[in-house]
Amino acid sequence: MLGKFFKKPADDMNGRVPPGQSLTSRFPVLTYGPAPRYKLEDVTLKISGLAEAREFSWPQLRALTQTTLTYDIHCVTHWSKLDTTWTGIRVTDLMPLLSLKPEASHVMIHSVGGYTTNLSLGDFVRPENLLAYRFDDKPLETEHGGPLRLVVPHLYFWKSAKWISGLEFISADAPGFWERNGYHMRGDPFKDERYSDD
């Protein structure tokens, strides 16, 4: 399989490829459980926890500034895909609309179907992070998290939760689905933070 779809880089390509990664031109699909199928107009984003409770509909999210960014993504299963292009709403454009309590330090990302993953506020509120609905200038496919997913490119891609449905602000770090099942609490690919004992 490694020769057909994946390629070991000769070097780290000026710091772009984390240790232990292979390059791919494909976009492998990795999902636990069935992919939920629903329309973009049915998207809602629920804000809960240590924040003023509210819910954003898709038209409300679409009314925010839309941004297109290109960056590299890295999966914990050892593949990296360079120069991927995403369109969506910057997390930093959403945050001014939220009212957080002072003790909020982390966020639990919730997805349709019950998947969760954790992020510190520092990792969540970065200008490159998107609530993305387009990939390579096409609607985001269901298998890749469409109609709406989080994209957090500086961490392993399991942190970029598919089918995002809610942001629960919390006062301490807590494991989400994969973190409870052995993945690292943070997941920095350049530190090789794949598993809980790394």
Side-chain angles (χ1 to χ4, degrees):
M1 188 82 138
L2 185 60
K4 191 170 183 181
F5 300 123
F6 302 91
K7 178 182 176 183
K8 284 282 188 186
D11 52 39
D12 69 356
M13 300 184 69
N14 295 315
R16 294 178 69 183
V17 181
Q21 296 294 102
S22 296
L23 297 180
T24 182
S25 59
R26 298 172 55 120
F27 194 167
V29 175
L30 299 168
T31 301
Y32 181 82
R37 297 187 181 275
Y38 57 104
K39 296 177 181 178
L40 192 55
E41 55 265 32
D42 295 328
V43 165
T44 58
L45 184 68
K46 183 179 179 181
I47 308 301
S48 64
L50 298 173
E52 181 180 345
R54 65 178 302 181
E55 191 170 286
F56 291 89
S57 66
W58 173 242
Q60 289 172 317
L61 291 172
R62 190 67 177 87
L64 300 178
T65 301
Q66 309 297 298
T67 301
T68 298
L69 298 173
T70 298
Y71 32 56
D72 306 334
I73 56 175
H74 312 287
C75 183
V76 70
T77 59
H78 297 276
W79 61 261
S80 292
K81 184 172 175 63
L82 306 184
D83 298 317
T84 65
T85 300
W86 303 82
T87 299
I89 301 103
R90 286 185 196 261
V91 169
T92 50
D93 288 330
L94 176 70
M95 289 303 292
L97 304 178
L98 309 185
S99 179
L100 272 58
K101 295 183 178 180
E103 59 267 34
S105 63
H106 291 75
V107 58
M108 186 68 70
I109 314 300
H110 290 265
S111 297
V112 173
Y115 176 84
T116 56
T117 192
N118 60 306
L119 291 169
S120 70
L121 279 185
D123 282 322
F124 180 63
V125 185
R126 292 171 58 125
E128 69 269 28
N129 294 348
L130 291 176
L131 303 175
Y133 61 93
R134 294 182 72 82
F135 174 74
D136 279 353
D137 203 30
K138 297 176 183 176
L140 185 59
E141 296 178 2
T142 300
E143 290 73 16
H144 292 304
L148 188 71
R149 75 175 295 161
L150 181 65
V151 181
V152 181
H154 72 286
L155 298 178
Y156 281 124
F157 218 49
W158 91 80
K159 295 291 187 178
S160 296
K162 298 178 179 180
W163 314 300
I164 185 171
S165 63
L167 304 174
E168 178 189 2
F169 293 91
I170 53 181
S171 61
D173 204 4
F177 176 84
W178 284 116
E179 296 81 17
R180 291 193 303 271
N181 286 282
Y183 278 10
H184 197 275
M185 287 292 281
R186 181 159 186 258
D188 184 335
F190 290 93
K191 295 180 180 178
D192 211 14
E193 294 176 341
R194 298 177 196 272
Y195 307 109
S196 57
D197 56 356
D198 287 339

